[in-house]
Amino acid sequence: MGAPVSLSVKDFLGLLRDRTSWTFIVLVLLGLAVGDPFAMLGQTSLWQILLFWPAAVLIYLALITAGLTVCSPLARRWPDLPVPLPLISVFATLPGVIIGDRIAAALSGGARFVALDGRMLLLFGLVQVFETVFFLFVLNQTAYWQNRSDAAQPRAAATDGDGDRTLVIGAERVPVARVLHIEAREHYVRVTLDGESITQRARLSDIVAQTAPEDGVQPHRSWWVSKRAAHEVMRDGTRHVMKLTDDTLVPVARTRLGEVQTWVARHIQRPQSDY
């Protein structure tokens, strides 16, 4: 329904191994066979129909996986660019139906029955309905997604074998001492370290939950700044910003100004600008 969802190739393959997902897929197959959007009943054998829909759906799922695989490097290259899932769905639906038709005809010896007419538009609509039902009502019931959500819950920073505290950021563990600042960008975060930066699919709130007050401060909902990088709070025109040691200016939300000023006064031993 237009709401964003973070879905990786790994997630999709994990969902395909989930029993709840396959229960839903079987129900979809039954619905397509009974609904008969191509008006096949009476024109072809039941054997051909039973071959066609499973073949078409399996090819559709394979093409969805291929579409996500193609989009994955694009999402890493441009993390702020969303990829509409309906576009991938359209890419997968038409070839899936046509190839499924050819497979069913070859295996059953029957004639091809798919026509690229108004019924194909009906099928596109049905696919969107099925996908919407899955994301709204089925997804959260799958064991895979529940385990994924539990694993993503905020937790305290872990300690590695050398005793250094680390933050779990996406698929990486990053030493707290190396982090200078973190900026949230849609479903990704850009982490600036000493000497490099990384971009990971993660939520800033989950990362901040792993930190302690002495590690840094969150001056804005899209930023977290470490104690090492913070310098002072100052005015920039009509707004307040936090100036960092690398001269980066980070916005300070009005609702957090007092909290940030108190944190700077307590943790940063530098004179602050007049407010």
Side-chain angles (χ1 to χ4, degrees):
M1 301 299 289
V5 59
S6 175
L7 184 68
S8 67
V9 179
K10 177 182 177 182
D11 289 333
F12 190 73
L13 295 176
L15 289 170
L16 287 183
R17 295 191 296 268
D18 191 280
R19 179 179 298 179
T20 302
S21 296
W22 276 104
T23 300
F24 177 74
I25 291 172
V26 170
L27 292 176
V28 168
L29 286 171
L30 291 175
L32 289 170
V34 174
D36 195 20
F38 289 126
M40 293 183 288
L41 293 174
Q43 300 182 40
T44 187
S45 66
L46 179 62
W47 166 244
Q48 189 172 359
I49 295 175
L50 294 178
L51 282 173
F52 169 75
W53 285 117
V57 169
L58 288 175
I59 294 168
Y60 161 84
L61 294 173
L63 291 174
I64 285 286
T65 305
L68 290 173
T69 303
V70 170
C71 292
S72 180
L74 299 178
R76 289 194 296 268
R77 178 66 177 82
W78 295 286
D80 293 335
L81 179 66
V83 179
L85 282 175
L87 290 182
I88 302 178
S89 176
V90 169
F91 158 78
T93 301
L94 182 58
V97 168
I98 294 176
I99 297 173
D101 177 37
R102 302 304 188 266
I103 292 175
L107 293 178
S108 66
R112 298 171 180 172
F113 47 80
V114 173
L116 300 181
D117 54 16
R119 290 174 298 180
M120 187 61 72
L121 294 178
L122 171 63
L123 182 63
F124 284 142
L126 287 174
V127 170
Q128 294 308 306
V129 169
F130 290 141
E131 288 183 357
T132 301
V133 170
F134 179 82
F135 281 110
L136 287 181
F137 304 108
V138 180
L139 181 65
N140 290 329
Q141 303 303 316
T142 61
Y144 174 85
W145 202 258
Q146 291 174 357
N147 293 335
R148 175 187 183 274
S149 299
D150 291 342
Q153 290 299 313
R155 51 193 179 275
T159 302
D160 62 20
D162 298 325
D164 296 327
R165 294 171 58 243
T166 60
L167 299 176
V168 178
I169 303 178
E172 295 193 27
R173 284 187 176 273
V174 180
V176 177
R178 291 195 61 203
V179 179
L180 298 179
H181 49 82
I182 306 173
E183 180 186 5
R185 299 180 176 183
E186 292 289 337
H187 303 298
Y188 292 79
V189 292
R190 180 178 177 83
V191 185
T192 300
L193 308 172
D194 46 359
E196 65 174 318
S197 64
I198 60 174
T199 299
Q200 286 285 329
R201 182 184 290 270
R203 293 189 303 183
L204 181 61
S205 59
D206 291 344
I207 301 172
V208 173
Q210 302 174 58
T211 65
E214 59 271 18
D215 294 328
V217 66
Q218 187 176 9
H220 187 273
R221 65 178 182 177
S222 299
W223 285 85
W224 182 85
V225 177
S226 74
K227 180 180 177 180
R228 289 179 55 206
H231 180 61
E232 62 177 340
V233 176
M234 57 184 290
R235 278 189 177 276
D236 181 26
T238 59
R239 62 173 186 161
H240 282 86
V241 296
M242 174 178 280
K243 184 178 180 180
L244 308 187
T245 53
D246 62 0
D247 291 330
T248 299
L249 298 180
V250 175
V252 178
R254 292 184 179 181
T255 56
R256 304 188 186 197
L257 179 59
E259 175 186 348
V260 172
Q261 289 174 339
T262 300
W263 183 89
V264 169
R266 180 177 301 168
H267 294 90
I268 307 301
Q269 301 300 319
R270 298 183 182 91
Q272 299 182 51
S273 302
D274 294 334
Y275 302 117

